[in-house]
Amino acid sequence: MTKDIFVIVEHRRGEVRDITFELLTKGYELSRDRGKLLAVLLGFQNEKIIDKLKPFAETILNIDDERLKEFNAEYYQIVLSNLLQEKKPFITLLGQTAFGIDFAPSLSTAIDLPYSSDCLDLEIENDTVFTERQIYGGKINSRISLAENWGYLVSVRPGSIAPRDVELVAEVVDVSSPIKEDIDYRKFMQYVEAAKGEVDITQSEVVIGIGRGIKEDKNLSMMEDFAKSIGGVLACSRPVVDAGWLTKDRQVGSSGKTVKPKLYIAVGISGAFQHVMGMKGADTIVAINKDPNAPIFTVANYGIVGDLLQVIPKLNEKITELKGA
Amino acid sequence: MNIAVCIKRVPETAEAAVNIDSSEKHIIPDQLVFDINEADNYALEEALLLREKTEGDITLFTVGSKESDEVIKMGLAKGATRGVRITPENLDNLDAYAVAKLLAEQVKEGNFDLILTGCISSDVGNSQVGVTLAELLGIPHATLVIKMGIEDGFATVQRELEGGLLEELKIKLPALFTIQTGINEPRYASILGIKRAAQKELRVIENITAEGMKAEVVKMYYPPVGKMAEILEGGVEEVSGKLCEILKGKGLL
């Protein structure tokens, strides 16, 4: 019996999201000597997306229904529970994103599939599925085994697999939509864009990111002074926005902005993957953190282990001296 | 309106060293400080804010050890009506599905209009219990909720997507929402609240065994040391000087 790998295609507003290609890369690797790699596409008028996917899968299962135009977990569950139970893929991969988080747990429960979420990697050993996860803010890893079943659901953390070109030519198979009635208990209303702020942090060559380690809002002015003297803009990780110290448009990370400056200085940021997603593309990364085990030091090029309340004023002084000279 | 809030007691690990015990399946909790999971605290606050506008009870649920009473009592002190702590015999071996099943058994009795959870726990971070619970209860859900309003038996919620984009959904109650951090400003318990909490009901469900686990921790290990920053050594004066030289050398100053 062949053991096929399904990848649930993630797309928003007509664009295929990067995670899809990461999953297809992993899916291709897992499917060799086992079965086929199939991309499962739920959407409406999918031609453009199909063209993008063709080189990355052997088959595209195309489910085209106007009610799948925008993502809706309830419609996804109807379609996918039908499809998975009928086709019985060995492993179904999806992204640990706002998309996957919203439908994978209920789908796995509805059709009784073992599910491992937010995985960095997965392996199959003698038909047992093992996943590797990061826990406790990236300080510990755990290896998970999934209970024996005909199939498994695994969601993968974005950015954990480097996408490769696999040069396939997918055959497109249209699957009729099993959705019968419109759902009235969950309706997509509209997209809401984030408010634009006074500065666009994506345009600056130097970005100073501040995090939970700032501790109190009274330390903000010190950071503003520092950003000013080094010629950069102030940005932040999620806890700073949650506390109301900086506005959402300053947030760097998966639910905020992606920046690629020449220099990123992470101050008091532990380095949760959601933040790292938004700044790992910077040319040079400096991390200042009092915790030597903070995951940010695995992302940074240069690190200072120390109290930011002491380091930043001293650094500011030196930079002002240098610039004045 | 009656609201259930599912909360969890977790260690604060952002700035602490985390060590694995000899079984390689658990961490050593001794040196760690525990508190309510951050996102759950926002979920609790959202329930308290809603209750200020409508009549009704707030019931807190947790699956955890006796120590979890701390976070239940804190929630009661902030204004929740009652708490339920579920402690199965095999507490150490639960997966997210088993936790959701334990919660479902208790929550389904309560006739709740709204069930709130945090969108992620800061310890194992599955983001799985809330949506699984919704499915077991047969009610609709939305995750990563950053704005919520209730009117005429429907909730209008905004979910956080990616890159600052949000989506607005209309969802019929009863429903379950997983709450994102930053949706509100969680309050602190008052002294009077803490006194009152001592009189409130805290029901304990024990002598049960959780079943149906599908994911098992084989082992925990420290992340492999891969790429690591060049750590600048020395006192504050010295490291500041070194960093300036490096940045200057790269033309970044």
Side-chain angles (χ1 to χ4, degrees), chain A residues 7 19-28 37 39 53 56-57:
Chain A
V7 168
I19 179 72
T20 303
F21 300 105
E22 297 165 19
L23 296 170
L24 286 165
T25 300
K26 188 71 199 175
Y28 181 73
L37 171 63
L53 293 174
F56 295 91

Side-chain angles (χ1 to χ4, degrees), chain B residues 166-230:
Chain B
L166 306 167
E167 68 171 344
E168 190 173 291
L169 307 175
K170 196 171 176 186
I171 296 188
K172 196 173 178 200
L173 300 183
L176 180 147
F177 301 128
T178 81
I179 302 296
Q180 176 62 285
T181 60
I183 186 173
N184 51 40
E185 273 182 61
R187 70 193 68 191
Y188 291 97
S190 66
I191 302 289
L192 184 62
I194 293 167
K195 278 187 190 155
R196 280 184 186 152
Q199 310 302 318
K200 290 181 179 177
E201 180 194 353
L202 200 172
R203 197 152 60 89
V204 178
I205 317 277
E206 285 171 320
N207 302 317
I208 52 166
T209 305
E211 286 169 0
M213 276 76 81
K214 299 172 185 183
E216 187 193 347
V217 177
V218 182
K219 68 166 185 174
M220 289 185 183
Y221 57 98
Y222 299 101
V225 181
K227 190 180 126 325
M228 186 69 191
E230 178 188 336

Side-chain angles (χ1 to χ4, degrees), chain B:
Chain B
M1 194 160 80
N2 290 324
I3 308 170
V5 186
C6 303
I7 61 177
K8 184 180 190 184
R9 175 180 177 268
V10 296
E12 288 175 4
T13 55
E15 289 179 354
V18 187
N19 294 303
I20 301 168
D21 75 9
S22 57
S23 75
E24 296 192 319
K25 295 190 180 192
H26 302 284
I27 59 161
I28 300 171
D30 303 1
Q31 305 296 320
L32 298 169
V33 177
F34 286 75
D35 202 348
I36 184 171
N37 178 50
E38 188 181 19
D40 301 351
N41 200 27
Y42 286 92
L44 168 61
E45 180 63 30
E46 203 59 19
L48 294 167
L49 291 171
L50 263 175
R51 210 260 309 270
E52 287 168 7
K53 292 181 217 156
T54 62
E55 292 287 297
D57 288 351
I58 298 173
T59 307
L60 305 174
F61 292 88
T62 195
V63 174
S65 65
K66 189 171 187 328
E67 286 79 17
S68 298
D69 287 353
E70 295 162 18
V71 297
I72 292 272
K73 282 179 183 162
M74 187 274 295
L76 296 175
K78 288 185 182 187
T81 317
R82 68 183 70 81
V84 179
R85 188 229 316 154
I86 307 162
T87 310
E89 315 239 327
N90 49 348
L91 184 63
D92 284 348
N93 304 314
L94 305 182
D95 66 358
Y97 176 76
V99 171
K101 251 180 82 171
L102 289 167
L103 288 169
E105 284 299 314
Q106 301 304 322
V107 172
K108 73 179 181 194
E109 307 294 334
N111 217 3
F112 295 104
D113 305 288
L114 189 63
I115 299 158
L116 303 179
T117 72
C119 65
I120 188 169
S121 67
S122 63
D123 52 0
V124 289
N126 283 302
S127 291
Q128 198 177 331
V129 170
V131 177
T132 305
L133 176 59
E135 179 66 23
L136 292 170
L137 296 170
I139 59 173
H141 70 267
T143 53
L144 304 166
V145 169
I146 194 74
K147 196 173 175 187
M148 184 171 86
I150 307 277
E151 207 175 5
D152 301 329
F154 280 86
T156 300
V157 299
Q158 287 185 2
R159 289 185 68 220
E160 205 172 64
L161 304 177
E162 52 280 321
L165 187 68
L166 306 167
E167 68 171 344
E168 190 173 291
L169 307 175
K170 196 171 176 186
I171 296 188
K172 196 173 178 200
L173 300 183
L176 180 147
F177 301 128
T178 81
I179 302 296
Q180 176 62 285
T181 60
I183 186 173
N184 51 40
E185 273 182 61
R187 70 193 68 191
Y188 291 97
S190 66
I191 302 289
L192 184 62
I194 293 167
K195 278 187 190 155
R196 280 184 186 152
Q199 310 302 318
K200 290 181 179 177
E201 180 194 353
L202 200 172
R203 197 152 60 89
V204 178
I205 317 277
E206 285 171 320
N207 302 317
I208 52 166
T209 305
E211 286 169 0
M213 276 76 81
K214 299 172 185 183
E216 187 193 347
V217 177
V218 182
K219 68 166 185 174
M220 289 185 183
Y221 57 98
Y222 299 101
V225 181
K227 190 180 126 325
M228 186 69 191
E230 178 188 336
I231 302 291
L232 308 180
E233 307 280 349
V236 173
E237 176 86 33
E238 200 182 343
V239 293
S240 301
K242 281 181 183 171
L243 182 61
C244 282
E245 287 309 313
I246 290 166
L247 296 181
K248 201 177 164 201
K250 288 178 167 280
L252 292 167
L253 279 184

Side-chain angles (χ1 to χ4, degrees), chain A residues 10 12-13 17 71 73-74 77 96 98-99 101-103 105-106 108-110 112-115 117-118 130 132-147 184-194 206 212-213 215 230 238 242 248 254-256 262-263 265 270 274 284 286 288 290-293 297-305 310-311 314-315 318-319 322-323, chain B residues 11 13-20 27 38 42 97 119-120 122-129 131-132 135-136 139-144 146 154 156 158-172 178 180-185 213-224 226-233 236-241 243-248 250 252-253:
Chain A
E10 177 166 340
R12 183 116 44 217
R13 300 168 122 178
R17 299 190 47 77
F71 168 73
E74 301 288 347
Q77 185 157 323
Q96 181 79 353
F99 169 94
I101 284 172
D102 206 59
F103 74 87
S106 48
S108 74
T109 305
D112 213 20
L113 284 189
Y115 167 47
S117 71
D118 194 24
F130 294 93
E132 306 294 326
R133 305 188 66 244
Q134 233 176 37
I135 53 179
Y136 297 103
K139 291 188 172 167
I140 304 283
N141 282 16
S142 69
R143 183 172 174 84
I144 306 288
S145 73
L146 293 175
D184 65 353
Y185 47 88
R186 170 164 168 160
K187 280 188 176 159
F188 171 86
M189 306 304 282
Q190 60 177 334
Y191 287 114
V192 180
E193 305 278 352
V206 178
R212 206 186 287 269
K215 293 277 193 263
I230 202 168
R238 174 158 210 122
D242 288 348
K248 186 81 185 170
S254 47
S255 62
K262 286 189 173 155
L263 174 62
I265 306 184
S270 65
Q274 292 93 336
T284 299
V286 177
I288 301 170
K290 71 173 183 191
D291 177 6
N293 298 312
F297 288 120
T298 65
V299 183
N301 304 97
Y302 303 97
I304 292 177
V305 178
Q310 288 173 22
V311 175
K314 183 55 75 182
L315 207 49
K318 298 242 175 221
I319 288 167
L322 266 173
K323 289 215 167 178
Chain B
T13 55
E15 289 179 354
V18 187
N19 294 303
I20 301 168
I27 59 161
E38 188 181 19
Y42 286 92
Y97 176 76
C119 65
I120 188 169
S122 63
D123 52 0
V124 289
N126 283 302
S127 291
Q128 198 177 331
V129 170
V131 177
T132 305
E135 179 66 23
L136 292 170
I139 59 173
H141 70 267
T143 53
L144 304 166
I146 194 74
F154 280 86
T156 300
Q158 287 185 2
R159 289 185 68 220
E160 205 172 64
L161 304 177
E162 52 280 321
L165 187 68
L166 306 167
E167 68 171 344
E168 190 173 291
L169 307 175
K170 196 171 176 186
I171 296 188
K172 196 173 178 200
T178 81
Q180 176 62 285
T181 60
I183 186 173
N184 51 40
E185 273 182 61
M213 276 76 81
K214 299 172 185 183
E216 187 193 347
V217 177
V218 182
K219 68 166 185 174
M220 289 185 183
Y221 57 98
Y222 299 101
K227 190 180 126 325
M228 186 69 191
E230 178 188 336
I231 302 291
L232 308 180
E233 307 280 349
V236 173
E237 176 86 33
E238 200 182 343
V239 293
S240 301
L243 182 61
C244 282
E245 287 309 313
I246 290 166
L247 296 181
K248 201 177 164 201
K250 288 178 167 280
L252 292 167
L253 279 184

